[in-house]
Amino acid sequence: MKVLYPGSFDPITLGHIDLIKRSIKLFDQVCVAVVAKSPKDTLFDFEERMDLVKKCLKGFKKVKVEGFEGLVVDYAKLKKIKIILRGLRMISDFEYEFQMALTNRTIKPDIETMFLMPEPNYSYVSSRLIKEAFFLGADISRFVPSYVLKALVRKKDEIRY
Ligand code: ADP
C-alpha cells in the first residue's frame, strides 16, 4: 500500500522527517509530494524546496519525492494512491486539518486522510517558526537537517546583499 504525503516543505524539517520515518513502517511506499505553487508565500522556490527534500531523504529506499500542482486529491487519484498522510502537532493543527480532510473527502470520497503525531520534541516545530527563529538569530540546528541549515544560511546572505 502507498501513501501520499503532501506539503509545501518550506523547508523540510526534522518534524516532517519524523513523520516520514513513521509512515515507512506502515506503508510499502511513501510518496512525498511537494506543492509547486503554494498559496503561502514561500522563502524557498519550488526547485529549492524539491532539492532539499530530495537531499534529506536520499537514503530512504521506500520514499519517492515528486512535485505537484493543483488539488491533492486529484494528484492522489492520478497516482492511484488512496491515503493522504498529514501531521498533527498541536490542537491548533486540528481545525485546519479537520476541515481539509473533510473537504477532500467530499471531493473524492474514496480517498482517506490519515494523521500521525511526531515525537513530542518535534510537536512544536513548524517550517514557519524555524524560518522566523533563524532570521532572528536562534540556533535551530536541532530541528532541521544540515542541508537545510546550510540553505538557510545561504538565503540569509542572499537577502542581506
Ligand atoms: P502545508 O503548507 O501543506 O501545511 P507543511 O510543509 O507545512 O505543508 O506541512 C505538511 C504536513 O506536515 C502538514 O500536515 C503538517 O501538519 C505536517 N507537519 C509539519 N511540521 C510537522 C512536525 N513538526 N511534526 C509533524 N507533522 C508536521
Side-chain angles (χ1 to χ4, degrees):
M1 180 108 69
K2 293 182 186 179
V3 70
L4 184 73
Y5 182 32
S8 29
F9 302 99
D10 181 44
I12 186 166
T13 69
L14 293 181
H16 293 122
I17 295 176
D18 177 285
L19 228 66
I20 292 165
K21 284 182 179 161
R22 284 170 202 283
S23 60
I24 283 173
K25 293 189 208 147
L26 303 171
F27 294 93
D28 303 312
Q29 194 180 86
V30 180
C31 179
V32 178
V34 180
V35 68
K37 286 194 202 112
S38 173
K40 304 175 195 165
D41 263 345
T42 57
L43 174 68
F44 293 101
D45 66 25
F46 173 58
E47 281 73 26
E48 291 171 317
R49 287 182 283 123
M50 275 293 278
D51 182 56
L52 285 173
V53 172
K54 279 186 179 159
K55 280 186 176 137
C56 296
L57 299 175
K58 206 169 173 199
F60 295 76
K61 288 197 190 76
K62 286 168 141 189
V63 175
K64 271 177 76 176
V65 180
E66 288 164 2
F68 80 103
E69 269 184 271
L71 288 175
V72 170
V73 280
D74 285 341
Y75 190 65
K77 189 105 191 166
L78 181 79
K79 303 288 298 177
K80 298 190 168 63
I81 300 178
K82 293 213 173 293
I83 303 174
I84 294 169
L85 170 68
R86 297 285 291 176
L88 275 185
R89 288 161 291 188
M90 303 281 179
I91 301 287
S92 52
D93 276 341
F94 181 78
E95 197 174 338
Y96 174 71
E97 293 293 344
F98 184 74
Q99 277 180 356
M100 198 156 67
L102 292 189
T103 305
N104 283 339
R105 190 195 276 167
T106 308
I107 303 170
K108 291 264 184 321
D110 54 339
I111 295 177
E112 292 291 349
T113 305
M114 191 186 97
F115 296 95
L116 288 176
M117 281 163 278
E119 191 193 313
N121 277 351
Y122 298 130
S123 63
Y124 56 93
V125 174
S126 71
S127 301
R128 185 181 59 81
L129 248 154
I130 293 281
K131 287 179 284 189
E132 277 178 22
F134 174 77
F135 280 96
L136 291 171
D139 175 6
I140 48 102
S141 56
R142 261 174 306 156
F143 305 121
V144 293
S146 59
Y147 286 121
V148 172
L149 185 61
K150 282 185 204 136
L152 281 166
V153 171
R154 274 199 306 276
K155 201 50 107 182
K156 200 174 184 176
D157 286 343
E158 265 171 44
I159 291 169
R160 199 180 300 149
Y161 295 111

